[in-house]
Amino acid sequence: MSHRKDAGQRSPAWGQPPSAVRPGAARLSTMLIVLAIASFTALAQQTAVVKPAEDLPPGLMQAKATTSCLECHEARIILQQRLSKATWTKEVDKMIKWGAVVDASNRDALIDYLSSSFSPDRPPYEPPRTSVEKNSLRKSK
Amino acid sequence: MSGAALAASAAPSFFSWAAAAQGGSLEVPVEDGMIVRSFRFVDLETPVEYFNTWLTPVPHFFVRNHMHEPSELNASDLQAKDWRLTVGGEVEKPFTLTLSELSKLETHSVVNTLECAGNGRSLHRPQVPGVQWGKGAVSTARFSGPRLRDVLQRTAVKPAGKHVMFRGLDEVPGKVPPFIRSIPLEKALDSNTLVATQMNGAPLTKHHGFPARALVPGWIGAASCKWLTEIKILESEFAGNFMSPAYRFPNEPVTPGDAVKPEDTHPLTALSVKSVISGPLDGASVKPGKVAVHGAAWAGEGDIVKVEVSTDGGVTWSSASLGHDQAHYAWRLWNYDWNAKGGDYTILSRATDSQGRTQPATPIWNPSGYLYNAIDQVKIHVA
């Protein structure tokens, strides 16, 4: 018999803002609405609610990276990478070719921001799961 | 509640992508427990503990989107009235099909294990860019629809036609190259290559390519273009980003971390031989006694002939029993009953296929992290 890890009790991973773990006021109100709907229906169709997006970490280029990168894709795509500066340089230049708006004067700073925030020595990003509660993975002692 | 909230809701559309864009929460109907690699674009990984049924229920089937899903296709419109499939290029007479016309062709079913070429990318060292899939960008379903060759037989392919290009309706952001790929004509004419309209007996869901997708069995998932809208016969392989430089593999083994010149690579086609342990899970604590070590194994265009398990870190190996359910392009579930005594263990699984291929002990590193298929392992504690 195997015992599953409790994904819901993982410590907040580096790269995840506290809001990803601790519901804020907006999340609480959403949850209340969800519970209200649940109380009005006996339907058991279950749905998963996960935080739709995360933030890039603080840094001098946080705002510019948010504008340049998150226009096309969400932050998780970046948060999960662990790459060397040489590889980040290739990625940034590819994205500029693909339409990311990065002022030439900001290119090097953006590469520095990404390669210092998401370097290979950082601990791995812990992705969320949909509907963690239902599949709550409990440790059996 | 923690992490994510669970709701029982009769109004699945209540929370929408629009709400998500405004900073609200996002609802993903019935995809319970899926690992979220990304929502924008949708990339959802199947946890390995779900590898316990031969056919993966559609809500647990991994999702890999390169771009936005087509906004004009509404999966509740089962007729997809405005959808068309055009067939052109090196053919005598180009034509267009509606979904209704497509559905009049004879239906064929193929149980296929679909695996993203990047499955396992996060396990490569040094790490490489891309969606950082763990072990679960792979699932199995019964795909049904007309054979691609029956579609193509409505006209004659000119002698110059050698490759078949698929274009999907993915919505492209910025200047990102469109998701267009091609397969050789020979594979396109194989009796198991489909224009699939169903998965596990139901119409495709939007995440999986509604109303029609290519199904190129045994090959990397990217070959099976979703939201298919155009088939074009070409004289040569399609020249575009998703054929080159993407989805190519070095011709010769490379030292991990080394760059590889484009001319020293070839396009990815069939999947490798591979097994994954779906239980016990890595890091688990189990009680002494009988422990079922189990998982799934697949081999693209090969058949799994053997799965071996080691409970002593690879010193000795024992054969696992293979599940009864089997089909040429589908994974085999496997099980090994182990009499566990107290201690810490590294359990390994190793598959061998009908082409004589065996999983390597060391990952075959490549710059984009494709086709990870090293011997699988989990570490567990017995007490």
Side-chain angles (χ1 to χ4, degrees), chain B residues 128-308:
Chain B
V128 297
V131 177
Q132 295 298 303
W133 298 112
K135 300 174 184 177
V138 58
S139 304
T140 298
R142 178 175 283 110
F143 293 88
S144 305
R147 292 180 168 101
L148 176 56
R149 74 180 187 193
D150 288 348
V151 173
L152 296 177
Q153 271 175 4
R154 289 178 64 113
T155 182
V157 173
K158 292 179 179 175
K162 301 293 182 199
H163 292 261
V164 179
M165 181 202 95
F166 301 129
R167 184 166 69 85
L169 285 166
D170 317 53
E171 293 181 3
V172 180
K175 298 176 193 168
V176 175
F179 190 74
I180 302 175
R181 302 191 76 255
S182 66
I183 61 172
L185 184 64
E186 183 186 12
K187 182 68 175 176
L189 296 179
D190 185 284
S191 63
N192 290 305
T193 299
L194 307 180
V195 177
T197 55
Q198 296 197 321
M199 268 173 89
N200 294 347
L204 292 176
T205 62
K206 192 160 183 178
H207 284 337
H208 296 290
F210 174 84
R213 70 179 300 171
L215 190 276
V216 184
W219 283 30
I220 60 166
S224 293
C225 175
K226 300 198 280 191
W227 312 293
L228 185 63
T229 189
E230 182 186 0
I231 295 171
K232 192 173 180 183
I233 312 299
L234 305 176
E235 292 186 18
S236 53
E237 184 182 292
F238 177 74
N241 177 77
F242 293 98
M243 292 302 289
S244 179
Y247 293 114
R248 296 181 84 84
F249 203 79
N251 295 335
E252 303 292 337
V254 296
T255 304
D258 277 5
V260 179
K261 293 176 187 166
E263 60 267 32
D264 295 333
T265 64
H266 60 273
L268 291 171
T269 55
L271 295 171
S272 301
V273 62
K274 187 165 175 177
S275 68
V276 165
I277 299 167
S278 59
L281 296 178
D282 191 38
S285 239
V286 302
K287 292 185 173 129
K290 184 185 158 188
V291 172
V293 180
H294 56 96
W298 61 98
E301 292 183 323
D303 292 309
I304 290 294
V305 296
K306 183 170 63 174
V307 175
E308 296 162 292

Side-chain angles (χ1 to χ4, degrees), chain A residues 1 3 5 27 34 38 46-50 52 70-72 74 80-82 98 127-131 134-135, chain B residues 4-8 24-26 28 30-34 36-37 39-40 49-50 127 130 132 175 282 285-286:
Chain A
M1 173 83 188
H3 303 283
K5 291 183 201 170
R27 273 192 56 73
V34 164
Q46 288 176 310
T47 56
V49 182
V50 182
L70 307 194
E71 172 75 17
C72 285
E74 66 169 277
Q80 64 193 264
Q81 309 298 323
R82 297 289 180 270
W98 284 1
R129 283 188 177 203
T130 57
S131 186
K134 179 185 172 191
N135 294 285
Chain B
L6 172 70
S25 290
L26 174 69
V28 184
V30 301
E31 281 157 351
D32 309 321
M34 297 292 278
V36 179
R37 296 292 168 196
F39 278 136
R40 189 169 61 99
E49 60 265 34
Y50 289 5
Q127 287 139 303
Q132 295 298 303
K175 298 176 193 168
D282 191 38
S285 239
V286 302

Side-chain angles (χ1 to χ4, degrees), chain A:
Chain A
M1 173 83 188
S2 65
H3 303 283
R4 295 167 169 180
K5 291 183 201 170
D6 189 337
Q9 289 178 15
R10 281 178 184 149
S11 342
W14 182 90
Q16 281 186 315
S19 58
V21 177
R22 193 169 298 155
R27 273 192 56 73
L28 277 173
S29 57
T30 300
M31 287 158 60
L32 287 173
I33 293 168
V34 164
L35 290 171
I37 293 169
S39 69
F40 276 101
T41 173
L43 258 187
Q45 183 193 0
Q46 288 176 310
T47 56
V49 182
V50 182
K51 190 175 170 59
E54 296 183 19
D55 298 322
L56 291 172
L60 281 176
M61 291 299 289
Q62 182 190 23
K64 285 198 167 66
T66 298
T67 306
S68 301
C69 309
L70 307 194
E71 172 75 17
C72 285
H73 61 77
E74 66 169 277
R76 284 190 190 98
I77 290 290
I78 297 171
L79 301 182
Q80 64 193 264
Q81 309 298 323
R82 297 289 180 270
L83 305 172
S84 67
K85 186 169 183 179
T87 306
W88 271 119
T89 301
K90 282 184 197 167
E91 287 300 300
V92 166
D93 288 342
K94 180 176 81 178
M95 291 302 164
I96 291 171
K97 192 174 85 178
W98 284 1
V101 180
V102 178
D103 193 292
S105 63
N106 290 325
R107 173 187 170 272
D108 291 352
L110 179 62
I111 291 167
D112 285 343
Y113 166 75
L114 293 170
S115 55
S116 62
S117 303
F118 306 105
S119 55
D121 57 337
R122 297 276 191 179
Y125 170 75
E126 290 286 344
R129 283 188 177 203
T130 57
S131 186
V132 168
E133 203 72 11
K134 179 185 172 191
N135 294 285
S136 84
L137 309 172
R138 298 181 186 86
K139 269 181 187 162
S140 308
K141 297 284 181 189

Side-chain angles (χ1 to χ4, degrees), chain B residues 313-337:
Chain B
V315 179
T316 59
W317 294 86
S318 302
S319 287
S321 54
L322 300 178
H324 293 296
D325 292 318
Q326 58 182 303
H328 180 54
Y329 297 105
W331 65 19
R332 294 288 292 273
L333 300 183
W334 54 266
N335 182 80
Y336 173 69
D337 286 332

Side-chain angles (χ1 to χ4, degrees), chain B residues 49-68:
Chain B
E49 60 265 34
Y50 289 5
F51 293 0
N52 52 14
T53 56
W54 189 53
L55 297 182
T56 311
V58 173
H60 291 161
F61 202 103
F62 84 98
V63 179
R64 180 15 174 170
N65 291 349
H66 291 77
M67 309 186 190
H68 298 294

Side-chain angles (χ1 to χ4, degrees), chain B residues 349-382:
Chain B
S349 73
R350 179 173 72 184
T352 299
D353 79 352
S354 55
Q355 299 174 2
R357 303 181 299 177
T358 299
Q359 286 180 264
T362 309
I364 303 168
W365 188 91
N366 57 99
S368 295
Y370 295 131
L371 299 184
Y372 180 97
N373 76 327
I375 288 171
D376 197 26
Q377 72 166 45
V378 295
K379 292 181 186 296
I380 68 163
H381 180 65
V382 181

